[in-house]
PDB file of all heavy atoms in Angstrom:
ATOM      1  N   THR A 125      -0.931 -22.732 -10.861  1.00 97.00           N
ATOM      2  CA  THR A 125      -0.453 -23.251  -9.586  1.00 97.00           C
ATOM      3  C   THR A 125       0.823 -22.530  -9.164  1.00 97.00           C
ATOM      4  O   THR A 125       1.740 -22.374  -9.960  1.00 97.00           O
ATOM      5  CB  THR A 125      -0.202 -24.767  -9.697  1.00 97.00           C
ATOM      6  OG1 THR A 125      -1.426 -25.405 -10.077  1.00 97.00           O
ATOM      7  CG2 THR A 125       0.289 -25.342  -8.383  1.00 97.00           C
ATOM      8  N   GLY A 126       0.821 -22.040  -7.926  1.00 97.00           N
ATOM      9  CA  GLY A 126       1.978 -21.335  -7.378  1.00 97.00           C
ATOM     10  C   GLY A 126       1.890 -19.822  -7.506  1.00 97.00           C
ATOM     11  O   GLY A 126       2.615 -19.101  -6.826  1.00 97.00           O
ATOM     12  N   ASP A 127       1.002 -19.310  -8.363  1.00 97.00           N
ATOM     13  CA  ASP A 127       0.823 -17.858  -8.507  1.00 97.00           C
ATOM     14  C   ASP A 127       0.126 -17.288  -7.285  1.00 97.00           C
ATOM     15  O   ASP A 127      -0.694 -17.969  -6.658  1.00 97.00           O
ATOM     16  CB  ASP A 127      -0.067 -17.527  -9.712  1.00 97.00           C
ATOM     17  CG  ASP A 127       0.587 -17.802 -11.053  1.00 97.00           C
ATOM     18  OD1 ASP A 127       1.801 -18.065 -11.081  1.00 97.00           O
ATOM     19  OD2 ASP A 127      -0.136 -17.746 -12.065  1.00 97.00           O
ATOM     20  N   LEU A 128       0.410 -16.024  -6.979  1.00 98.00           N
ATOM     21  CA  LEU A 128      -0.394 -15.312  -5.992  1.00 98.00           C
ATOM     22  C   LEU A 128      -1.785 -15.117  -6.573  1.00 98.00           C
ATOM     23  O   LEU A 128      -1.926 -14.861  -7.773  1.00 98.00           O
ATOM     24  CB  LEU A 128       0.191 -13.930  -5.689  1.00 98.00           C
ATOM     25  CG  LEU A 128       1.288 -13.839  -4.649  1.00 98.00           C
ATOM     26  CD1 LEU A 128       1.761 -12.403  -4.516  1.00 98.00           C
ATOM     27  CD2 LEU A 128       0.850 -14.370  -3.303  1.00 98.00           C
ATOM     28  N   TYR A 129      -2.800 -15.240  -5.724  1.00 98.00           N
ATOM     29  CA  TYR A 129      -4.160 -14.970  -6.187  1.00 98.00           C
ATOM     30  C   TYR A 129      -4.225 -13.534  -6.704  1.00 98.00           C
ATOM     31  O   TYR A 129      -3.612 -12.625  -6.150  1.00 98.00           O
ATOM     32  CB  TYR A 129      -5.179 -15.151  -5.046  1.00 98.00           C
ATOM     33  CG  TYR A 129      -6.522 -14.589  -5.414  1.00 98.00           C
ATOM     34  CD1 TYR A 129      -7.394 -15.296  -6.218  1.00 98.00           C
ATOM     35  CD2 TYR A 129      -6.891 -13.311  -4.996  1.00 98.00           C
ATOM     36  CE1 TYR A 129      -8.613 -14.762  -6.596  1.00 98.00           C
ATOM     37  CE2 TYR A 129      -8.109 -12.767  -5.370  1.00 98.00           C
ATOM     38  CZ  TYR A 129      -8.961 -13.498  -6.171  1.00 98.00           C
ATOM     39  OH  TYR A 129     -10.166 -12.952  -6.557  1.00 98.00           O
ATOM     40  N   SER A 130      -4.986 -13.327  -7.771  1.00 98.00           N
ATOM     41  CA  SER A 130      -5.212 -11.997  -8.319  1.00 98.00           C
ATOM     42  C   SER A 130      -6.638 -11.898  -8.827  1.00 98.00           C
ATOM     43  O   SER A 130      -7.054 -12.698  -9.674  1.00 98.00           O
ATOM     44  CB  SER A 130      -4.232 -11.718  -9.470  1.00 98.00           C
ATOM     45  OG  SER A 130      -4.617 -10.564 -10.180  1.00 98.00           O
ATOM     46  N   GLN A 131      -7.369 -10.929  -8.318  1.00 98.00           N
ATOM     47  CA  GLN A 131      -8.749 -10.714  -8.755  1.00 98.00           C
ATOM     48  C   GLN A 131      -8.780 -10.373 -10.247  1.00 98.00           C
ATOM     49  O   GLN A 131      -9.646 -10.838 -10.979  1.00 98.00           O
ATOM     50  CB  GLN A 131      -9.381  -9.586  -7.943  1.00 98.00           C
ATOM     51  CG  GLN A 131     -10.815  -9.295  -8.333  1.00 98.00           C
ATOM     52  CD  GLN A 131     -11.430  -8.228  -7.451  1.00 98.00           C
ATOM     53  OE1 GLN A 131     -11.022  -8.019  -6.325  1.00 98.00           O
ATOM     54  NE2 GLN A 131     -12.418  -7.542  -7.968  1.00 98.00           N
ATOM     55  N   GLU A 132      -7.821  -9.588 -10.692  1.00 98.00           N
ATOM     56  CA  GLU A 132      -7.759  -9.188 -12.103  1.00 98.00           C
ATOM     57  C   GLU A 132      -7.560 -10.417 -13.003  1.00 98.00           C
ATOM     58  O   GLU A 132      -8.235 -10.558 -14.025  1.00 98.00           O
ATOM     59  CB  GLU A 132      -6.619  -8.192 -12.301  1.00 98.00           C
ATOM     60  CG  GLU A 132      -6.487  -7.671 -13.709  1.00 98.00           C
ATOM     61  CD  GLU A 132      -5.351  -6.670 -13.851  1.00 98.00           C
ATOM     62  OE1 GLU A 132      -4.768  -6.251 -12.838  1.00 98.00           O
ATOM     63  OE2 GLU A 132      -5.041  -6.333 -15.002  1.00 98.00           O
TER      64      GLU A 132
END
Side-chain angles (χ1 to χ4, degrees):
T125 301
D127 290 350
L128 275 179
Y129 167 80
S130 168
Q131 180 177 335
E132 182 179 351

